[in-house]
Amino acid sequence: GDSVTQMEGPVTLSEEAFLTINCTYTATGYPSLFWYVQYPGEGLQLLLKATKADDKGSNKGFEATYRKETTSFHLEKGSVQVSDSAVYFCALSDKQGAQKLVFGQGTRLTINP
Amino acid sequence: GAVVSQHPSRVICKSGTSVKIECRSLDFQATTMFWYRQFPKKSLMLMATSNEGSKATYEQGVEKDKFLINHASLTLSTLTVTSAHPEDSSFYICSARDGNIANYGYTFGSGTRLTVV
């Protein structure tokens, strides 16, 4: 079945550092890809998405590009802030059927001032 | 934008009792809602897909008699944890398809932290 694999955390960076969180997927079709963020004590919020190959999703300085050839959707940010500390989930959704979301295991990010 | 309200946000119950969690779509109709469970430092695991007016579809390994799901209207789905035990303690989150195809919208509730003592 479909699956998502993220780089293991936790990840700890200093403020203004460059961030990359790797995400690769396995899917039988051509899924839509998402990054969700979960702040402490809260539910998930959609951070960005891409629905087809070579699409770039972006929001709040974060970017991810849908790479079909490498089945990847790595999350990047050029300069992180303390407020970016959260858990980040990569996810996919098949465009057919029930369109369920399949999540990666999540990566906890801590940014130190 | 689409809003999903989940209630309660936190609940503590005694072992053996039942707990009901509500998930409401506030400004749209949701024919399909999803229930997830999150173990500490782990990913979200899909428990079941809830369809308005029909029986829920449970993922493999999820006890349907223990986790009762009802989706009686287009704006409300409920998850009842029956005869709760400490191992049911977890973070439960619902989500709903908001029908905005262009947005591929999945809107999440803020989650319910269940503690069974």
Side-chain angles (χ1 to χ4, degrees), chain A residues 47-50 55-64 73 75:
Chain A
L47 180 60
L48 54 83
K49 67 182 187 299
D55 268 2
K56 177 186 283 188
S58 61
N59 186 25
K60 299 181 181 179
F62 291 89
E63 293 183 342
F73 193 55
L75 182 68

Side-chain angles (χ1 to χ4, degrees), chain B residues 67-95:
Chain B
F67 298 100
L68 299 179
I69 291 173
N70 184 279
H71 194 159
S73 77
L74 286 170
T75 59
L76 174 65
S77 177
T78 60
L79 167 67
T80 301
V81 183
T82 62
S83 187
H85 292 281
E87 57 264 31
D88 298 326
S89 299
S90 194
F91 192 59
Y92 295 86
I93 305 177
C94 68
S95 74

Side-chain angles (χ1 to χ4, degrees), chain B residues 26-43:
Chain B
L26 297 186
D27 49 1
F28 66 99
Q29 293 182 333
T31 56
T32 303
M33 290 186 175
F34 303 91
W35 286 96
Y36 293 85
R37 179 176 181 176
Q38 185 180 23
F39 293 97
K41 299 184 179 181
K42 298 290 185 182
S43 184

Side-chain angles (χ1 to χ4, degrees), chain A residues 22-102:
Chain A
N22 289 338
C23 171
T24 57
Y25 67 90
T26 302
T28 52
Y30 299 97
S32 295
L33 302 174
F34 307 85
W35 276 101
Y36 282 86
V37 58
Q38 184 180 27
Y39 297 104
E42 299 183 10
L44 271 70
Q45 302 173 27
L46 178 64
L47 180 60
L48 54 83
K49 67 182 187 299
T51 57
K52 61 182 186 297
D54 299 325
D55 268 2
K56 177 186 283 188
S58 61
N59 186 25
K60 299 181 181 179
F62 291 89
E63 293 183 342
T65 301
Y66 191 142
R67 301 289 189 197
K68 190 176 76 170
E69 63 275 13
T70 54
T71 61
S72 65
F73 193 55
H74 305 321
L75 182 68
E76 297 182 337
K77 186 174 185 181
S79 177
V80 292
Q81 306 300 313
V82 172
S83 57
D84 294 327
S85 298
V87 180
Y88 292 82
F89 291 95
C90 186
L92 68 78
S93 172
D94 194 322
K95 295 186 177 72
Q96 305 300 320
Q99 300 175 330
K100 299 180 290 188
L101 280 170
V102 176

